[in-house]
Amino acid sequence: MKTVLVFRTSVATPQQAGRLKPVLDNLMHTREKWNFDLEDCDRILRVEAFTLQAQVIIEKLNREGFFCAELED
Protein backbone atom coordinates (compact mmCIF):
# COMPACT_ATOMS: atom_id res chain seq x y z
CA MET A 1 0.00 0.00 0.00
CA LYS A 2 1.27 3.44 -0.91
CA THR A 3 2.00 5.87 1.93
CA VAL A 4 1.95 9.66 1.64
CA LEU A 5 4.69 11.40 3.63
CA VAL A 6 4.61 15.18 4.06
CA PHE A 7 7.58 17.26 5.16
CA ARG A 8 8.31 20.88 6.04
CA THR A 9 11.60 21.92 4.40
CA SER A 10 13.94 24.87 3.88
CA VAL A 11 13.99 24.36 0.09
CA ALA A 12 13.13 27.84 -1.16
CA THR A 13 13.72 27.93 -4.93
CA PRO A 14 13.08 25.77 -7.98
CA GLN A 15 16.86 25.65 -8.45
CA GLN A 16 17.31 24.10 -5.00
CA ALA A 17 14.54 21.60 -5.73
CA GLY A 18 16.27 20.78 -9.02
CA ARG A 19 19.53 20.17 -7.17
CA LEU A 20 17.69 17.62 -5.00
CA LYS A 21 16.01 15.89 -7.95
CA PRO A 22 18.73 13.24 -8.48
CA VAL A 23 18.93 12.60 -4.72
CA LEU A 24 15.17 12.07 -4.37
CA ASP A 25 14.80 10.20 -7.68
CA ASN A 26 17.47 7.77 -6.48
CA LEU A 27 15.32 6.90 -3.44
CA MET A 28 12.17 6.21 -5.47
CA HIS A 29 10.99 2.94 -6.94
CA THR A 30 8.63 2.46 -9.85
CA ARG A 31 5.27 4.21 -9.34
CA GLU A 32 6.60 6.26 -6.39
CA LYS A 33 6.77 10.03 -6.74
CA TRP A 34 7.62 13.26 -4.97
CA ASN A 35 7.00 16.97 -5.43
CA PHE A 36 7.65 20.29 -3.73
CA ASP A 37 5.08 22.99 -3.01
CA LEU A 38 7.35 26.02 -2.72
CA GLU A 39 4.35 28.38 -2.58
CA ASP A 40 3.35 26.98 0.81
CA CYS A 41 4.91 28.74 3.81
CA ASP A 42 6.30 25.37 4.99
CA ARG A 43 7.84 24.63 1.56
CA ILE A 44 6.20 21.24 1.50
CA LEU A 45 7.81 18.09 0.15
CA ARG A 46 5.18 15.42 -0.55
CA VAL A 47 6.32 11.85 -1.16
CA GLU A 48 4.15 8.94 -2.29
CA ALA A 49 6.02 5.72 -1.58
CA PHE A 50 5.49 2.06 -0.75
CA THR A 51 8.39 1.31 1.58
CA LEU A 52 10.43 4.50 1.97
CA GLN A 53 10.81 5.66 5.57
CA ALA A 54 10.50 9.32 6.59
CA GLN A 55 13.83 9.26 8.42
CA VAL A 56 15.68 8.31 5.22
CA ILE A 57 14.29 11.37 3.42
CA ILE A 58 15.08 13.65 6.37
CA GLU A 59 18.67 12.39 6.54
CA LYS A 60 19.21 12.80 2.77
CA LEU A 61 17.96 16.40 2.76
CA ASN A 62 19.97 17.20 5.88
CA ARG A 63 23.10 15.82 4.21
CA GLU A 64 22.43 18.16 1.27
CA GLY A 65 22.23 21.11 3.68
CA PHE A 66 18.46 21.51 3.98
CA PHE A 67 16.13 21.43 6.97
CA CYS A 68 13.49 18.73 6.72
CA ALA A 69 10.91 17.58 9.29
CA GLU A 70 7.90 15.34 8.90
CA LEU A 71 4.55 17.06 9.38
CA GLU A 72 2.21 15.11 11.62
CA ASP A 73 -1.51 14.72 10.89
Side-chain angles (χ1 to χ4, degrees), residues 17-18 20-26 28 32-36 45-48:
L20 290 169
K21 183 178 183 342
V23 174
L24 291 168
D25 284 349
N26 193 46
M28 300 294 131
E32 294 180 330
K33 57 187 175 180
W34 60 269
N35 69 301
F36 281 101
L45 168 61
R46 185 173 185 270
V47 176
E48 295 180 26

Side-chain angles (χ1 to χ4, degrees), residues 2-65:
K2 196 181 281 190
T3 304
V4 177
L5 304 169
V6 182
F7 303 90
R8 180 169 40 112
T9 75
S10 64
V11 177
T13 67
Q15 292 79 14
Q16 290 175 333
R19 196 176 101 209
L20 290 169
K21 183 178 183 342
V23 174
L24 291 168
D25 284 349
N26 193 46
L27 295 174
M28 300 294 131
H29 297 292
T30 305
R31 297 186 346 259
E32 294 180 330
K33 57 187 175 180
W34 60 269
N35 69 301
F36 281 101
D37 180 359
L38 301 179
E39 301 294 317
D40 187 277
C41 65
D42 286 328
R43 299 178 186 122
I44 297 295
L45 168 61
R46 185 173 185 270
V47 176
E48 295 180 26
F50 292 100
T51 59
L52 192 56
Q53 298 297 312
Q55 193 58 39
V56 172
I57 296 168
I58 292 167
E59 288 172 5
K60 288 286 188 183
L61 264 70
N62 288 168
R63 243 181 256 134
E64 295 296 321

